[in-house]
Amino acid sequence: MLKKIFLLVIISSNGFAQSIPIPNKDIQPKNYICYKANDAITVDGDLKESDWQHAEWTDYFADIEGDAKPAPRFGTRAKMLWDDDYFYVAAELSEPDIWAKLMNRDDIIFYDNDFEVFIDPDGNTHGYVEFEMNAFNTVWDLFLIQPYRDINKAALHQFDIKDLKTGVQVYGTLNQPGDEDSSWTVEIAFPWKGLNEVADIPMPPDDKDQWRVNFSRVEWKTEVKEGVYEKQINPQTNKSYPEDNWVWSPQGVVNMHYPEMWGYVQFSETNVGSGKVEFIYDEKEEAKRFLRDIYYNQKVYLEKHGEYSADLQELNMAFPNIPGFSTEPVIEITTNYYEAKLKADCNSHSIHIRSDGLTWETAGK
């Protein structure tokens, strides 16, 4: 979310770009098998259809930083399905006081309590969708050219997902202080023809294709003043307390715009409820994680020296054991740019990363 961007790439007093927060490397992204729906899904926020009943819940959401912070006060979990037309997301948000204020499309929804979806179809960390909705079923969708850490004006706010469908069910009374609510559920249908504007890959996905996806929930501390929910004010700062950020796959940093930390969603042609499919971890992801460490450390080196380095030792790094990749990376640098490449032992492909964080794969030697 836009408000969570801090310590990004800016120009410091010495004229060099500053480094960025580095996520907790011990956190492994979660994974989920997204099965195919048997029947058409009515998108109304009511999750009583047979297909939703058979779809598995994700783990309950954790704090965005993971185990380093306390568990969320309220439970949140999500489900996913797909068919030939849509990628479906549903979520259940436990909430004793359900409220919302924003009612216009593309309002900055995280100023309310909200549910958010982040989708990077090709997993290259560039060209991804951010989607937010509140209990009014007000939505905000935007396209990110790349993370804010590499470019200030990364978001296209005028972007709207064509033929998007959303629904909300409130189990309680919306904006009614004095009673205790139960939860609210959301349902979203992302059309393939809308997401196809984001990445040039097969849509619907092929069997076993994997996308990078994450979910976030923003929760504000509130109190009732004159019969209206208001954000609690910290008397020491005279500002509202910071929001809580609860996510499916912890980021290891207070910033959702680290797509490399999002979960893996593996699509399956198997119909939901008809059998189990195993998640297949692609070992090439280990190569990408190492290249991402080069990216982080290049940021640190640039801040200190005003240039990039082609030497792992200068980057304070050692080459680890990566299955299928036993040759050290080739790092090519210019004054303002670098590209690092890991070549697979079988010589069938190479994995690359460049100074703006884009990752990609090339075939051949």
Side-chain angles (χ1 to χ4, degrees):
M1 295 174 297
L2 303 182
K3 65 183 182 308
K4 298 192 179 82
I5 307 307
F6 59 95
L7 293 177
L8 298 184
V9 181
I10 57 176
I11 302 301
S12 62
S13 58
N14 61 11
F16 299 158
Q18 293 183 353
S19 58
I20 62 174
I22 298 176
N24 182 345
K25 298 178 184 178
D26 292 331
I27 292 178
Q28 293 291 327
K30 294 182 179 291
N31 61 74
Y32 185 91
I33 303 295
C34 183
Y35 293 98
K36 195 169 187 180
N38 294 282
D39 302 304
I41 300 291
T42 300
V43 181
D44 56 7
D46 188 338
L47 311 182
K48 293 181 179 178
E49 286 117 328
S50 175
D51 282 345
W52 279 130
Q53 294 302 306
H54 285 102
E56 294 184 3
W57 289 108
T58 63
D59 294 335
Y60 279 100
F61 288 16
D63 186 87
I64 192 170
E65 294 185 79
D67 294 338
K69 292 297 176 69
R73 303 189 306 279
F74 311 127
T76 315
R77 53 185 182 170
K79 296 183 177 188
M80 287 164 268
L81 289 169
W82 72 281
D83 62 20
D84 291 339
D85 298 311
Y86 295 97
F87 172 40
Y88 298 98
V89 172
E92 176 188 71
L93 301 86
S94 297
E95 175 65 76
D97 291 295
I98 303 172
W99 63 273
K101 294 186 177 182
L102 300 172
M103 302 183 69
N104 299 310
R105 176 72 180 260
D106 290 339
D107 280 342
I108 302 177
I109 300 301
F110 60 69
Y111 289 157
D112 284 353
N113 290 345
D114 78 354
F115 177 74
E116 306 178 356
V117 184
F118 295 81
I119 305 173
D120 183 6
D122 55 18
N124 67 6
T125 75
H126 284 204
Y128 59 89
V129 167
E130 176 179 357
F131 169 87
E132 304 183 7
M133 65 188 300
N134 65 8
F136 269 143
N137 196 21
T138 307
V139 306
W140 180 29
D141 48 358
L142 55 160
F143 173 76
L144 280 295
I145 300 169
Q146 59 196 78
Y148 297 97
R149 63 197 177 194
D150 293 304
I151 182 172
N152 288 328
K153 296 182 179 180
L156 300 179
H157 294 265
Q158 67 271 27
F159 171 79
D160 286 338
I161 302 171
K162 295 178 181 177
D163 299 322
L164 176 77
K165 297 180 180 179
T166 62
V168 172
Q169 289 286 327
V170 173
Y171 297 92
T173 50
L174 182 60
N175 291 332
Q176 182 61 57
D179 64 350
E180 184 169 341
D181 305 315
S182 171
S183 63
W184 54 295
T185 55
V186 304
E187 197 171 10
I188 311 155
F190 295 101
W192 301 121
K193 60 184 177 181
L195 293 177
N196 201 37
E197 297 181 2
V198 175
D200 185 20
I201 60 173
M203 295 187 194
D206 294 327
D207 189 52
K208 300 183 178 64
D209 279 358
Q210 294 180 3
W211 287 16
R212 302 305 296 271
V213 175
N214 212 350
F215 308 118
S216 175
R217 173 181 179 176
V218 166
E219 186 75 14
W220 297 90
K221 295 180 175 66
T222 60
E223 58 187 346
V224 178
K225 290 186 175 180
E226 298 180 357
V228 177
Y229 291 110
E230 299 289 349
K231 293 170 185 173
Q232 291 184 17
I233 300 299
N234 182 340
Q236 295 181 344
T237 64
N238 205 32
K239 298 180 180 179
S240 60
Y241 285 99
E243 79 283 9
D244 289 309
N245 299 279
W246 304 330
V247 303
W248 167 46
S249 193
Q251 295 286 111
V253 62
V254 186
N255 189 328
M256 284 303 297
H257 293 274
Y258 278 60
E260 65 269 25
M261 298 300 293
W262 298 351
Y264 298 97
V265 173
Q266 178 176 310
F267 294 90
S268 175
E269 287 280 359
T270 301
N271 288 103
V272 65
S274 65
K276 293 288 186 180
V277 172
E278 294 296 322
F279 177 78
I280 303 170
Y281 182 71
D282 189 344
E283 290 185 340
K284 287 186 292 188
E285 292 299 321
E286 292 302 312
K288 291 180 182 179
R289 286 174 71 91
F290 172 69
L291 290 174
R292 186 63 56 181
D293 286 342
I294 291 178
Y295 164 84
Y296 296 142
N297 287 317
Q298 289 280 24
K299 295 280 191 187
V300 174
Y301 192 86
L302 179 65
E303 180 183 23
K304 291 181 179 179
H305 303 283
E307 61 184 4
Y308 294 116
S309 174
D311 188 304
L312 285 183
Q313 284 190 321
E314 288 184 346
L315 295 174
N316 197 30
M317 297 179 66
F319 186 58
N321 179 25
I322 305 174
F325 295 84
S326 60
T327 303
E328 290 203 6
V330 175
I331 306 176
E332 299 179 341
I333 63 171
T334 66
T335 303
N336 300 308
Y337 180 87
Y338 73 84
E339 182 181 315
K341 177 177 73 173
L342 274 175
K343 185 170 68 174
D345 295 339
C346 61
N347 286 329
S348 65
H349 59 276
S350 297
I351 311 295
H352 307 249
I353 196 167
R354 68 189 192 195
S355 47
D356 65 356
L358 181 73
T359 60
W360 73 97
E361 181 177 341
T362 55
K365 297 182 179 180

